[in-house]
Amino acid sequence: MTVNGYIYVRPEVVNMLRTFTGQVELVRPAVTRFATSFLTIQRIHKQKNNLRKMFTSPEWSSSKWAKESGGKQVQSIILMISFWRSIIDILKIFGPLVRVLRLVDGEKRLAMGYIYEAMDRAKEVIIKSFNEKEDKYMNVLKIVDKRWESQLHRPLHAAGHYLNPEYFYYNLTIAEDGEIMEDLYKTMQRLIPSHEEQDKIIDQLTLYRNAEGLFGIEFAIRHRKIKSPGKLHNI
């Protein structure tokens, strides 16, 4: 039984909740189910004190719900220290991932050149939030990596990462990353079947890597962190 599931099918309990939260709802709808779950958990965390006050109040104690097994169970959950610790752990994990999904769904930036880096940073944030204790985050990252590989990661993302000057020129390891380079060449072979055109691109990649030619002029250098890759290459 979930806290929300119990409360929101009982109008009287909902009214009591709103009294203690100042009319703030626990459920916060979003575009995706994943985001809705995260925002709802975040809202529950913010209302922790009010929820604990409600389930220890005379209003609750004197209600018929406090005497039912379901009500007792929900009250026990709300007053359980381990429940709130779990909430914090969930927020540590899902917060960075929600930011990645917002990037994918957003329109302000072309996500292709940013999602690879965003996912790496999200995992770094998760690791640091658990004080780099592997037993706390390792199983979670395995699940994240599995979903990343099966649903989000494509060679085109790695190619976009490589061709994003905002990251490429400030992270020397990108050009040495075997996975990124393999995906870059896979993308090139798939999108450009002509060997002649591929050879021209290889020459351009050399210029890009060494910041030579047009890639080394003052204008291009100045706009590395200003323009998104797609817009910069189209100028």
Side-chain angles (χ1 to χ4, degrees):
M1 177 182 295
T2 65
V3 172
N4 281 352
Y6 179 84
I7 292 175
Y8 279 95
V9 296
R10 294 167 174 81
E12 295 92 336
V13 181
V14 173
N15 290 333
M16 188 186 302
L17 170 74
R18 290 169 179 165
T19 299
F20 280 87
T21 64
Q23 303 302 312
V24 175
E25 303 291 349
L26 297 184
V27 178
R28 186 178 171 187
V31 176
T32 65
R33 187 172 63 178
F34 182 87
T36 296
S37 297
F38 170 75
L39 294 174
T40 298
I41 293 171
Q42 189 179 59
R43 182 68 62 81
I44 290 174
H45 180 254
K46 289 181 178 179
Q47 294 298 325
K48 172 184 175 180
N49 291 336
N50 289 331
L51 284 167
R52 291 172 70 90
K53 287 178 182 178
M54 170 180 159
F55 282 98
T56 55
S57 69
E59 292 90 334
W60 171 259
S61 300
S62 61
S63 71
K64 64 179 181 180
W65 313 113
K67 301 172 180 62
E68 294 183 350
S69 60
K72 291 179 180 179
Q73 183 180 352
V74 171
Q75 181 188 39
S76 175
I77 292 172
I78 292 297
L79 299 180
M80 199 180 300
I81 295 176
S82 59
F83 170 73
W84 296 105
R85 287 176 178 169
S86 297
I87 289 286
I88 292 174
D89 286 345
I90 290 171
L91 293 176
K92 287 179 180 179
I93 295 165
F94 282 90
L97 298 179
V98 166
R99 286 191 284 274
V100 174
L101 293 179
R102 283 176 176 168
L103 175 63
V104 174
D105 295 333
E107 297 179 355
K108 292 184 178 180
R109 273 185 163 184
L110 299 175
M112 196 59 64
Y114 294 92
I115 187 172
Y116 202 98
E117 179 75 11
M119 181 57 75
D120 280 347
R121 290 186 179 183
K123 290 191 286 187
E124 289 176 5
V125 170
I126 291 172
I127 291 172
K128 289 180 180 178
S129 69
F130 287 102
N131 297 318
E132 301 185 359
K133 295 180 179 179
E134 288 192 6
D135 60 313
K136 296 287 187 179
Y137 67 79
M138 188 56 67
N139 289 336
V140 171
L141 289 191
K142 286 180 180 179
I143 296 172
V144 171
D145 286 338
K146 186 176 180 180
R147 288 296 183 92
W148 162 250
E149 291 296 333
S150 64
Q151 296 182 11
L152 285 175
H153 179 221
R154 298 292 183 272
L156 196 58
H157 292 139
H161 182 58
Y162 184 94
L163 296 173
N164 187 338
E166 180 176 346
Y167 300 134
F168 183 82
Y169 292 112
Y170 303 96
N171 183 355
L172 300 179
T173 64
I174 292 178
E176 308 300 329
D177 190 306
E179 179 182 308
I180 292 176
M181 296 307 299
E182 181 180 353
D183 284 348
L184 173 66
Y185 288 124
K186 282 181 179 178
T187 301
M188 185 172 67
Q189 286 182 323
R190 182 173 182 178
L191 297 180
I192 307 165
S194 168
H195 289 181
E196 182 180 353
E197 292 298 318
Q198 288 177 7
D199 292 342
K200 290 180 181 179
I201 291 175
I202 291 296
D203 291 338
Q204 288 293 311
L205 285 176
T206 301
L207 294 176
Y208 173 73
R209 179 170 183 170
N210 297 326
E212 297 174 345
L214 293 176
F215 300 108
I217 65 176
E218 188 273 338
F219 173 83
I221 294 173
R222 184 160 46 88
H223 281 77
R224 285 174 182 173
K225 292 187 176 183
I226 299 175
K227 294 283 187 180
S228 63
K231 292 181 179 179
L232 181 60
H233 295 323
N234 289 331
I235 291 177

